[in-house]
Amino acid sequence: MFWLKTRIVEGRNALENLKKEAKNHERVLILASNSMKKHGFLSKAEDYVREAGAEVFSITGLPAEPSVEVIEEFLPKVREFEPDLLVALGGGSVIDTTKALKVFYDAPGLDFEEIAFMDRFSRPKPVPKLKTKLIAIPSTSGAGSEVSAASVLKKGGIKYNIVTPEIAPEVAILDPRLPMTMPREVARNSGLDVLVHGIEAYTTRVANDFSDAMAIKAIKTVFAFIERSLEGDEKAREKMHYASTMAGIAFLNARLGLCHAMSHKAAWIGPHGLLNAIFLPYVIEFNAERSEYARKRYDEIARELNLKDWRELLQAIKELNERTGVPKLGELVDERTFMEKLEEMAEKAYHDGLIAFNPVEPTVEEIEKLYLEAYKGE
Ligand code: NAP
Ligand code: FE
């Protein structure tokens, strides 16, 4: 099966479409990160909603890498306003926050831990039908949350997923003017997440020809455009913006693997995309050495990039990390703190639902070793 719930509106000035989308709604709540206010996109969005004849209320200051506590903090404000349309204006963090707020706004009484995938061996309670329409307007080019069925939240420094088609946005508006204002680091971290989404989605056990098409296009776009995008090149940023959503469509269907499982459980160390970029080479080598299927799939990606085989792909990824200035894990966290958390991270990563899709099923010990190698930069 290949599916996509979200209607995608793309192109320069696509933000204007909010005017149409907000028609027939009475109370529109916009959730935004501070940069969207600072760069004037929030006030534009508010104007479009008003022009549509709806009442608008905005909440700003939504933080990056959201936690369950953030949902608890903002939920009362959502309930008080009683919106009939939710608009998420920001990066993956804002979109994920809005998705989770929608769950608890539309279905009060649910508990995060009963509906999230806390452990791949347990079955979370199904999320009931949710009614409030959600429009996602990404300002980064990375998470793919504008089309995905997932919301990723931290609890105790570790990330867990809520996954249900109910939270996949009804509409995604991709306006390439928004990611133009990303600082270089945000563009890099989110942009490398696109690469990881493409590569992981291409190599899971449930990838199909349709998800492959989206994954390959996204991977090729990252290799061709990420560096120019980091320099602020407009065309390159636009390409990266669309590639991000394509990779989102790929993993919506084909899911993700060990690299995301590892970065979710190391979320306390740093930004999501950056951790993924650091772990990816270790995961590729691990998978390729143990699985003929994984080798074949990495070889296919390599050939699409005019490289010989998975080893050359691995090398190209390491070099891309270096050229874009991805730090070593040891530069992000001191050894003692890391070693104290190592066992717990490996255990929790082993229990992450995404492990089931990875081409190789790792043991807890193997995951621990991968974390260690990544730490030592071996
Ligand atoms: P992000 O965490 O949403 O944004 C990082 C920072 O970039 C923000 O703090 C924001 O600063 C700034 N920023 C964003 N857009 C900007 C712009 N246009 N101009 C200037 N500054 C901007 O980054 P992200 O990589 O998109 O999202 C990462 C999150 O997504 C993680 O929590 C990860 O777990 C999640 N994720 C979710 C999925 C999914 O399927 N749901 C998939 C992958 C990752 P201000 O706060 O100052 O505005
Ligand atoms: Fe990701």
Side-chain angles (χ1 to χ4, degrees):
M1 185 178 95
F2 180 84
W3 72 293
L4 173 66
K5 172 176 159 192
T6 311
R7 181 157 48 83
I8 297 168
V9 186
E10 43 78 41
R12 215 178 148 77
N13 298 322
L15 185 61
E16 240 185 276
N17 280 278
L18 254 188
K19 227 184 289 181
K20 260 190 252 155
E21 299 295 341
K23 281 240 165 73
N24 304 321
H25 288 276
E26 280 172 19
R27 303 167 68 75
V28 179
L29 178 61
I30 305 179
L31 297 111
S33 75
N34 282 334
S35 58
M36 288 297 96
K37 187 176 177 181
K38 186 174 131 198
H39 295 290
F41 294 115
L42 176 61
S43 68
K44 279 200 180 78
E46 288 172 336
D47 288 346
Y48 293 140
V49 172
R50 283 193 203 101
E51 282 174 46
E55 188 182 338
V56 64
F57 179 67
S58 300
I59 297 178
T60 52
L62 263 66
E65 311 279 328
S67 64
V68 178
E69 289 76 30
V70 171
I71 305 306
E72 283 163 10
E73 182 188 337
F74 288 100
L75 189 57
K77 293 182 188 165
V78 180
R79 286 186 173 145
E80 199 184 324
F81 181 66
E82 290 187 46
D84 60 3
L85 172 62
L86 295 167
V87 177
L89 179 63
S93 295
V94 170
I95 300 173
D96 281 6
T97 304
T98 308
K99 285 170 159 179
L101 286 168
K102 165 170 157 150
V103 173
F104 300 109
Y105 169 59
D106 279 347
L110 288 181
D111 195 42
F112 178 73
E113 288 196 30
E114 63 184 10
I115 57 164
F117 283 83
M118 303 303 285
D119 186 318
R120 73 172 148 133
F121 300 111
S122 63
R123 284 279 145 255
K125 191 172 152 177
V127 172
K129 190 137 189 59
L130 306 176
K131 67 171 195 303
T132 310
K133 182 170 152 180
L134 168 60
I135 299 180
I137 311 177
S139 68
T140 59
S141 309
S145 183
E146 63 281 1
V147 287
S148 87
S151 167
V152 191
L153 297 176
K154 275 195 288 201
K155 193 173 166 71
I158 279 178
K159 278 182 179 165
Y160 302 95
N161 280 324
I162 302 173
V163 185
T164 162
E166 291 299 321
I167 59 173
E170 274 69 21
V171 181
I173 296 179
L174 310 181
D175 189 328
R177 290 175 306 162
L178 274 61
M180 272 312 294
T181 59
M182 281 188 291
R184 188 184 181 281
E185 263 189 36
V186 174
R188 180 199 60 197
N189 297 348
S190 60
L192 290 173
D193 201 23
V194 176
L195 181 63
V196 179
H197 291 161
I199 291 180
E200 288 219 287
Y202 193 85
T203 45
T204 65
R205 296 166 188 264
V206 295
N208 63 39
D209 281 11
F210 299 88
S211 58
D212 286 355
M214 289 288 163
I216 287 291
K217 176 79 180 176
I219 295 167
K220 282 180 150 176
T221 304
V222 174
F223 272 102
F225 290 102
I226 192 169
E227 285 166 281
R228 259 178 285 164
S229 141
L230 297 189
E231 289 161 11
D233 180 272
E234 265 187 46
K235 195 72 210 164
R237 286 233 169 167
E238 181 170 7
K239 289 282 185 196
M240 286 296 297
H241 204 46
Y242 303 152
S244 164
T245 304
M246 287 178 194
I249 298 171
F251 81 71
L252 165 72
N253 286 279
R255 315 299 293 273
L256 296 162
L258 176 57
C259 187
H260 268 75
M262 288 177 64
S263 78
H264 283 163
K265 307 315 172 192
W268 55 279
I269 299 175
H272 173 80
L274 187 60
L275 293 173
N276 273 330
I278 292 171
F279 293 135
L280 183 66
Y282 299 93
V283 169
I284 290 181
E285 194 164 13
F286 175 82
N287 285 338
E289 280 173 351
R290 283 162 188 78
S291 152
E292 200 186 317
Y293 167 75
R295 273 195 302 280
K296 173 174 154 281
R297 299 293 277 171
Y298 293 132
D299 283 348
E300 286 170 11
I301 298 173
R303 283 196 293 273
E304 291 284 345
L305 297 165
N306 294 320
L307 302 167
K308 201 170 97 240
D309 58 8
W310 70 269
R311 289 185 192 280
E312 282 197 14
L313 173 68
L314 180 61
Q315 193 51 35
I317 291 168
K318 287 182 183 167
E319 284 167 11
L320 183 64
N321 275 358
E322 237 164 68
R323 285 201 307 275
T324 56
V326 171
K328 302 279 174 239
L329 204 49
E331 296 169 52
L332 302 178
V333 54
D334 69 87
E335 189 166 358
R336 223 191 81 198
T337 317
F338 185 79
M339 294 308 287
E340 270 171 18
K341 292 262 201 175
L342 180 60
E343 227 183 280
E344 187 198 355
M345 283 193 297
E347 181 72 35
K348 290 252 160 88
Y350 174 78
H351 284 264
D352 190 290
L354 293 174
I355 294 292
F357 302 104
N358 196 63
V360 179
E361 165 144 4
T363 63
V364 178
E365 292 70 31
E366 284 169 332
I367 299 174
E368 196 172 317
K369 209 166 144 249
L370 283 171
Y371 274 126
L372 257 183
E373 282 170 11
Y375 190 82
K376 292 186 183 145
E378 281 166 354

